[in-house]
Amino acid sequence: MKVNEVMAKLEKKYGHEKEFLQAVHEVLESIEEVYNQHPEFDKANIIDRIVEPDRIFTFRVTWQDDKGEVHVNTGYRVQFNNAIGPYKGGIRFHPSVSLSSLKFLGFEQTFKNALTTLPMGGGKGGADFNPQGKSNAEIMRFCQAFIAELWQHLGPDTDVPAGDIGVAAREVGFMYGYYKKLARENTGTYTGKGMTWGGSLIRPEATGFGGIYFADHMLKTSNIDIKGKTVILSGFGNVSWGAAIKATELGAKVIAISGPDGYILDEEGLNQEKIDYMVELRTSNNNVVAPYAQKFPKAKFFAGKKVWEVKADIACPCAIQNELNGDDAKALVANGVICVAELSNMGCTPEAIAEFIKAKILFGPGKAANAGGVATSGLEMTQNAMHLNWTREEVDAKLKQIMKDIHGACVKYGTQKDGFINYVNGANIAGFMKVARAMLEQGLI
Ligand code: 2IT
């Protein structure tokens, strides 16, 4: 396999799907050497098969706003690969949603889910719908219209969606409620559900918790204590909220969060009251972070600026793809950053990753660092299948172990001769090997 040849073929076919090509290129570069040591993979043409989704559903979503106006959006579900378990992955409602972004997310999800050690395949879905400023009733109508089209392709052993950007417990409730009505079953086809109807404790916090556990493991490989370290986060959604809770609990100091309008610098660090306020900001429906500086006047708001200009020990992108570019990475490295954990999917551009690897800092790619979310979804599926609920402590202990195991897999496959751990290669190779072997064993399907 030659990366250039595979990419040339894909570019010819999918040249306009930039994000998808970016995600594939990164994986191929990491696995090239290992793949070429396994002629049995090439004989079964695993490479051409693994970059092509099993199937894609695209559909029209028609819904009515509160004024009676009729709107049309495009809905998607990309069932990428089910070699190791049912399709599993979130639903994203965001204006940027396209086939390219959902194919990249489904592709990444396949390897991420393989890394979790749980039996889950990869999928992703969503719509180019902007939930900002919509009423509760509008959100419900949209979710119902979306599921009316998709429900037939879902099922507890077929395809299990969850939340992602723009989709949290409320939206999962509306989608799952309508799914249940149409499918005439209550089997837990969706994760991220409410706590009284099959949801798992810790699921809302899980991506952030898992990300900080992962960062802590990375730091420990360099004998660095997370206690007292400064942390900057982008976003103020579920992911950065969970990360803020866990980082603070472990004694680190979260000094910045951000929104589409700019960032907040709070040198005192976040505490419980401020972390709770992140949730309030999110539910206010304005999607801006500026009011934080009015509520807590010692904090400063920097309008239109990116949070990566802040000097900190640990940086975690927690928002959207390509939110941290090469210049941002240079600024972080110049400011002495020790560890970057990608809690968003493909949060860093290839140029940014190259800067981090060149500087030999601890860089945890999304497939590994943000896998705690979907891992806890896997734990929710297990609880649903067994018809019981685990305690917070039980779920957290399992999540901790999974993050430790993912870290171990990255170290195993990513440690270079000079001792540097390339977590990008480690995560890509470990995830790929598992999926590729499963595909090989199941024949040509
Ligand atoms: O990107 C992700 O891993 C998620 N949005 C969570 C997916 C899931 O099924 O919990």
Side-chain angles (χ1 to χ4, degrees), residues 6 28 66 72 88 165 188-189 191 251 268 319 325 357 398 416:
V6 181
L28 294 188
D66 290 342
V72 173
K88 181 82 197 87
I165 295 171
T189 303
T191 60
E268 277 186 346
N325 64 28
I357 302 283
K398 287 183 168 60
Q416 296 179 174

Side-chain angles (χ1 to χ4, degrees), residues 256-269:
I257 58 170
S258 74
D261 54 330
Y263 74 85
I264 291 287
L265 179 64
D266 187 345
E267 306 267 16
E268 277 186 346

